[in-house]
Amino acid sequence: MACVSDESWVALPKMLSERLALRQEDRHDDEQPSFFGSESTAYRLEKVFPVYALGIPKPDSDPVNPASVSGDPIWDAVREEAKLEAEKEPILSSFLYASILAHDCLEQALGFVLANRLQNPTLLATQLMDIFYDVMMHDRDIQRSVRLDVQAFKDRDPACLSYCSALLYLKGYHSLQVHRVAHSLWSQGRKVLALALQSRISEVFGVDIHPAAKIGEGILLDHGTGVVIGETAVVGNRVSLMHGVTLGGTGKEIGDRHPKVGDGALIGASATILGNIKIGQGAMIAAGSLVLKNVPPRSMVAGIPAKVIGYVDEKDPSLTMKHDASKEFFEHVAVQCRDTRSAGGHSSERTHRST
């Protein structure tokens, strides 16, 4: 199979770099670079990453001159981490070179990693790389999202040791980025190819996201295993989803039939959310819950079926990842429940006596 032998593992990145260099030479003078072009709506990334998680709106998208941009801080960090890892583990040096150090930008490295993870005998790594490069190098929204997503993994997942480890190993990150490419293809009308990528994501990563689903940026798919997101689902920005989460429909109905998750929501492991319902901004869904009704903003719901059991103080609980309510909280809820039942019992007794 392609990109598996020792020779091709190292030679392929060089070949791809040369191919991309030729494409750059063939580009017309009036065309702009894909990410930091003068007409780019991107803004200085060194200002984006420290503040994006706070919910601060994007500044006005003034054109950015490539010469005025100091660089891509995420890509710089990935390369430095890869160099350090190669020194610590010489046995991985060829792997790290082929996957990261041989490439010129994050998009190239990500496309190489994803292609080698998803390849099979009939869908070759070289073909997949062409697909990923073609989409990512021409879609500034995806270029922004892949960086905000990797920052989300680094910030919120304590098991994520570095940007480099997220790029190389975390299947939650990988499945999310392949979905972004598949969604772009679906929007272009290339639905068969988009569905082929969905199928490979499901087979390789155990994550099933319909290519039509709309997913925001700064997303964490922690572990990713067992996540299912339906066709008309919408996931806002800065959302964290644990493993086993389902955003599904309730039957064979067609049309808009899947959940809409607001910005900053935190959805616990194995939570099931069904139907065209709204999960409010900053809401927290407890692990194992079955949600069948709208969830108010910044509320905490739990149970089967899920009910509101309290409210969260944080604007975006997805960022703190605190989805274990304290013992004091549950004791307070239990006391309230007991008092309510007692009051109801006394009321019934008085009513019975009066009759």
Side-chain angles (χ1 to χ4, degrees):
M1 292 187 292
C3 298
V4 177
S5 67
D6 292 338
E7 295 79 12
S8 62
W9 184 250
V10 177
L12 184 57
K14 181 178 180 181
M15 176 191 74
L16 292 170
S17 298
E18 292 172 351
R19 184 192 304 176
L20 288 170
L22 291 174
R23 288 180 181 174
Q24 294 289 341
E25 293 173 1
D26 292 339
R27 190 185 333 187
H28 298 297
D29 293 336
D30 57 346
E31 291 183 322
Q32 301 295 333
S34 62
F35 188 63
F36 292 125
S38 60
E39 296 180 356
S40 173
T41 58
Y43 49 97
R44 292 178 181 272
L45 289 173
E46 65 270 23
K47 294 182 180 179
V48 175
F49 295 107
V51 302
Y52 89 93
L54 303 178
I56 298 175
K58 293 188 292 185
D60 295 335
S61 53
D62 295 329
V64 178
N65 187 332
S68 67
V69 178
S70 63
D72 180 348
I74 293 293
W75 177 235
D76 291 344
V78 168
R79 288 182 59 85
E80 288 303 314
E81 290 166 354
K83 291 175 183 177
L84 291 174
E85 290 302 319
E87 293 176 0
K88 292 180 186 176
E89 294 287 354
I91 196 172
L92 293 178
S93 58
S94 295
F95 166 69
L96 292 167
Y97 174 82
S99 301
I100 293 176
L101 299 175
H103 303 285
D104 297 325
C105 64
L106 182 61
E107 288 75 19
Q108 289 182 27
L110 179 59
F112 179 85
V113 171
L114 296 177
N116 278 278
R117 295 210 66 179
L118 294 178
Q119 66 169 331
N120 66 14
T122 57
L123 197 55
L124 304 182
T126 49
Q127 295 172 322
L128 288 169
M129 276 185 278
D130 282 339
I131 295 168
F132 294 144
Y133 290 170
D134 184 57
V135 172
M136 289 191 291
M137 299 299 286
H138 295 87
D139 191 321
R140 295 189 179 105
D141 289 336
I142 291 181
Q143 292 168 355
R144 172 184 163 86
S145 294
V146 299
R147 289 164 171 80
L148 294 177
D149 291 341
V150 78
Q151 185 71 47
F153 277 78
K154 180 66 168 57
D155 289 345
R156 302 179 216 164
D157 183 0
C160 181
L161 302 177
S162 62
Y163 299 105
C164 179
S165 64
L167 177 65
L168 292 174
Y169 309 122
L170 298 188
K171 65 179 182 179
Y173 181 73
H174 293 162
S175 57
L176 184 58
Q177 306 322 315
V178 180
H179 164 74
R180 296 195 185 283
V181 173
H183 181 72
S184 178
L185 294 171
W186 182 273
S187 302
Q188 297 171 26
R190 303 174 69 183
K191 295 186 177 181
V192 174
L193 181 55
L195 290 170
L197 291 180
Q198 177 196 5
S199 176
R200 289 301 294 155
I201 298 171
S202 180
E203 292 174 19
V204 176
F205 302 133
V207 176
D208 196 351
I209 308 176
H210 194 283
K214 299 177 180 178
I215 298 181
E217 58 191 18
I219 304 298
L220 171 64
L221 291 187
D222 196 2
H223 299 290
T225 303
V227 169
V228 176
I229 301 178
E231 179 181 6
T232 60
V234 177
V235 178
N237 300 323
R238 305 182 305 281
V239 172
S240 295
L241 299 94
M242 308 300 287
H243 55 278
V245 168
T246 297
L247 304 181
T250 57
K252 297 198 302 180
E253 72 274 12
I254 60 175
D256 196 355
R257 60 194 185 278
H258 294 102
K260 312 297 181 282
V261 180
D263 294 349
L266 171 59
I267 304 180
S270 299
T272 300
I273 306 172
L274 301 178
N276 185 15
I277 60 176
K278 294 182 179 179
I279 308 301
Q281 293 188 11
M284 191 179 85
I285 312 299
S289 298
L290 173 61
V291 185
L292 302 174
K293 297 180 180 179
N294 291 340
V295 175
R298 292 210 292 275
S299 62
M300 181 190 302
V301 302
I304 301 176
K307 297 179 181 179
V308 175
I309 62 171
Y311 291 86
V312 295
D313 296 328
E314 299 90 353
K315 177 183 176 182
D316 292 338
S318 60
L319 305 183
T320 62
M321 297 295 289
K322 293 180 181 178
H323 48 98
D324 55 336
S326 65
K327 178 181 178 183
E328 291 77 14
F329 174 83
F330 281 113
E331 286 177 346
H332 177 67
V333 171
V335 169
Q336 282 188 325
C337 230
R338 182 192 63 196
D339 293 344
T340 301
R341 289 179 179 176
S342 298
H346 293 321
S347 176
S348 299
E349 185 178 352
R350 286 194 298 270
T351 302
H352 178 71
R353 287 177 179 176
S354 64
T355 57

